[in-house]
Amino acid sequence: GDLDKVVNLLLSLSGRLARVESALGSLGPHASAEDKVALREKRQLLAAQLEDAKELKEHVGRREEAVGAMVARYLPAEQLQDYRHFVKMKSALIAEQRELEEKIKLGQEQLRCLRESL
């Protein structure tokens, strides 16, 4: 459960940070100084939060290793291998699910914009 939450947090923060950096990059020369400052502050905050989330992931990773060592004492080799594969794939599948959700969201937004332009 913690792994799910931390991976989702990392993906969410990195996505938000990317959007803020994109917004900063797309600001024209006529953008107000207030907008630039606000976006820069938001970028700094998100970058700090992302670093904190990375530390959380490391902590969860260490805890996962400790649990894995404990589980290794009780499971036969085949089941232990299945357990390790499950844990490894879970993070990858969460990231893939999040990416697909973002693509669906983007597609829906593009479809909405196309309908409005007609």
Side-chain angles (χ1 to χ4, degrees), residues 62-81:
R62 288 189 299 273
R63 207 170 73 201
E64 177 186 321
E65 289 176 20
V67 170
M70 202 178 308
V71 167
R73 291 187 224 155
Y74 299 101
L75 291 180
E78 186 176 312
Q79 288 179 340
L80 181 61
Q81 186 177 2

Side-chain angles (χ1 to χ4, degrees), residues 11-49:
L11 293 171
S12 175
L13 288 171
S14 61
R16 290 173 59 198
L17 183 58
R19 285 191 294 277
V20 167
E21 288 177 348
S22 175
L24 265 171
S26 67
L27 283 179
H30 304 295
S32 72
E34 291 175 355
D35 289 344
K36 290 178 184 178
V37 169
L39 284 173
R40 286 185 186 125
E41 288 175 355
K42 192 170 187 174
R43 179 180 58 189
Q44 287 178 322
L45 177 63
L46 287 169
Q49 290 174 339

